[in-house]
Amino acid sequence: MSEQPAGPSPAVEYRIEDLAHLSGATVRTIRAYQDRGLLPRPERRGRSNVYGEAHLARLRQIADLLDRGYGLASIKELLDAWDTGRGLGGVLGLVAEVDGPWTDEQADRITRAELEAAFGGAPDERAVEEAVELGVLERVPGRDDEFLVPSPQELAVAAELHAAGVPLLAVAGHLRELRAEVEHIALRFLEFTTEHVFARYLGQHPPSDADAARAAALVRRLRPLARQTVDAELARAMRTFANRHLRHHLAPGGPPEQDEEPRAVVLPAATVRAVRELVGAENASEFIAVAAEREVRARTLDRLVARNRDAGGDTGEDGDGRDGRATKGGEATKEGGAAKGGGAARGGAGR
C-alpha cells in the first residue's frame, strides 16, 4: 500500500482566552481592538470565535508600537498602511533611530555609601528624594542601598558644586531651572529641523519606506548638531559673562551698589601672564572667573560678620564692644579663602 503525500499543516487556531495568554493582552483589550478596527474579526465556527497566527502577530505589532509611544489612532493609520501594502519597515526604522541614545555617556550604579562619600559623608535623605524626583538617581528594585545613575556626568557636576559650597537643595533648584531652559532649546531645534529638513519626508501619513529611511539617515547626521551648537554658544556666553562678572565684582572699592554703574577692572598684564602660564591660555578666563567667585564669597562672609559686629549682635562681645569670635571667624574666613585659592592654583597647575 503506497503512502499518501503529506498535506499542508493545519492552521493553528486559538480561542480568545488562548490568544490573550500568548499575546499578553486581556480578553477585554482584544475585543476593544476589534471594535476599533485594529484587529481583524475572528472566524466563526459554530458557536465559537476562532483566532489565528495573524491575530497573534497583529497584537504583538500593536504592543510594540504602544511601547514606542504611539497612540491607538496613529497605530491604526500605520496598520492600515501595512494592510494596503505600503509597509511598516521604514517607519519602525525611523522610530528606532529617534529612540536611540543621544549621548555616548553610559549609565552607572552607585551605592548609598558611595553617594554619601561623594557629597560630604553625611546622609541627606531629602536631597536623595530630590535627586530621584529629578531623575538624577533611579532606585534599583529590591536594593535600598543602590541607585542607577543615568548620567554620571550630571551627578559629578552636582558633587563639584556641593564641594564648592552650594547647598544640595540649591543645586536641585538650579537643575530644575536649567532643565526648563534646555528643554525649550531642544524643542526649538526640533521645530527648526522639522520645518526646514524633515517636512519633505514626513508630509505623507504614514511616510513611505523610502522617505522614512531618508529621514532616519538624516537623524543620524543631525543627532550631534544640537549638542555641538549648544556647547559652542555656551562657551561664548560664559566667556562674555565671566569677564563682565569679574569686572563687576573686582572693581576698586568693591562691587557697585545696585543703582550704580559697574566700574571697569583691568587686570595687570603680569597677573594675566602668570595665570596663562599656570593653566594655559584656553583655561585662563575660567580660572580667573572661579578665583573671582571665591574672593567674592569670602568678601561677602567678611562683610556679614562685620555688619553683625557693628550692630552689636549676640556673638559674645568683650568689654570694649569688639566681638572676639566674629573677628576670629573673619580671619578664619580669609585664611580659608586663601587656602582654597592656593588649592585652585595647584589644581590648575596639575591639569
Side-chain angles (χ1 to χ4, degrees):
M1 183 171 159
S2 62
E3 294 184 2
Q4 295 293 327
S9 300
V12 180
E13 297 180 347
Y14 305 109
R15 297 177 304 162
I16 192 169
E17 293 81 8
D18 300 328
L19 186 65
H21 174 74
L22 290 171
S23 66
T26 65
V27 170
R28 183 177 179 180
T29 298
I30 292 173
R31 287 178 174 147
Y33 288 167
Q34 289 174 185
D35 293 340
R36 299 190 65 155
L38 292 165
L39 193 68
R41 292 285 177 180
E43 292 185 24
R44 191 75 175 172
R45 298 282 177 81
R47 300 176 62 183
S48 300
N49 289 327
V50 176
Y51 297 84
E53 288 292 337
H55 294 90
L56 181 59
R58 175 57 56 88
L59 286 171
R60 288 172 174 166
Q61 282 179 337
I62 294 171
D64 180 59
L65 291 168
L66 286 171
D67 287 342
R68 295 174 184 269
Y70 281 83
L72 290 179
S74 298
I75 291 174
K76 188 173 188 314
E77 284 189 17
L78 292 171
L79 294 177
D80 287 345
W82 174 273
D83 290 338
T84 56
R86 288 167 56 196
L88 275 178
V91 173
L92 296 183
L94 174 58
V95 171
E97 191 64 48
V98 172
D99 283 346
W102 287 78
T103 176
D104 295 332
E105 190 177 17
Q106 299 293 319
D108 201 356
R109 293 196 176 203
I110 189 170
T111 65
R112 187 175 287 271
E114 292 169 339
L115 185 65
E116 292 174 0
F119 287 89
D124 189 334
E125 195 58 36
R126 184 180 174 189
V128 170
E129 291 299 327
E130 284 278 349
V132 170
E133 184 179 341
L134 286 166
V136 176
L137 298 175
E138 293 180 6
R139 298 191 184 278
V140 178
R143 298 293 301 271
D144 292 337
D145 62 337
E146 191 173 21
F147 298 92
L148 178 69
V149 185
S151 173
Q153 180 176 317
E154 190 170 51
L155 186 65
V157 169
E160 287 291 336
L161 288 172
H162 181 61
V166 183
L168 286 176
L169 295 181
V171 174
H174 176 69
L175 178 57
R176 290 182 191 277
E177 295 178 8
L178 180 64
R179 183 167 291 178
E181 297 293 336
V182 171
E183 287 176 354
H184 175 72
I185 293 171
L187 182 59
R188 288 293 300 119
F189 188 82
L190 287 172
E191 290 172 346
F192 171 79
T193 51
T194 298
E195 178 184 357
H196 295 284
V197 179
F198 291 105
R200 72 193 75 159
Y201 302 110
L202 303 180
Q204 181 179 326
H205 298 286
S208 66
D209 275 2
D211 282 346
R214 293 189 189 98
L218 280 171
V219 170
R220 286 192 293 274
R221 286 176 51 196
L222 299 181
R223 189 189 299 274
L225 295 189
R227 185 171 181 176
Q228 290 170 6
T229 302
V230 171
D231 284 348
E233 283 301 306
L234 180 61
R236 180 198 60 78
M238 287 298 295
R239 190 165 55 247
T240 299
F241 289 113
N243 195 317
R244 188 178 304 171
H245 192 75
L246 176 67
R247 293 198 306 269
H248 177 79
H249 286 283
L250 294 189
E257 297 298 330
Q258 186 172 3
D259 56 351
E260 184 181 349
E261 287 294 325
R263 295 182 288 272
V265 174
V266 179
L267 293 179
T271 301
V272 175
R273 282 197 301 271
V275 171
R276 287 176 175 172
E277 290 175 2
L278 183 64
V279 300
E282 69 278 7
N283 297 318
S285 295
E286 181 182 358
F287 182 92
I288 292 171
V290 172
E293 188 65 33
R294 285 181 172 173
E295 178 63 21
V296 169
R297 190 180 297 118
R299 288 188 184 191
T300 301
L301 293 174
D302 288 348
R303 187 163 59 250
L304 292 173
V305 170
R307 183 184 303 167
N308 188 56
R309 182 180 61 224
D310 295 341
D314 184 16
T315 54
E317 292 182 353
D318 50 29
D320 61 0
R322 301 176 66 184
D323 185 351
R325 284 179 294 171
T327 303
K328 290 178 182 178
E331 292 171 355
T333 299
K334 291 177 182 177
E335 291 172 2
K340 289 181 179 178
R346 289 193 295 275
R351 289 193 295 271

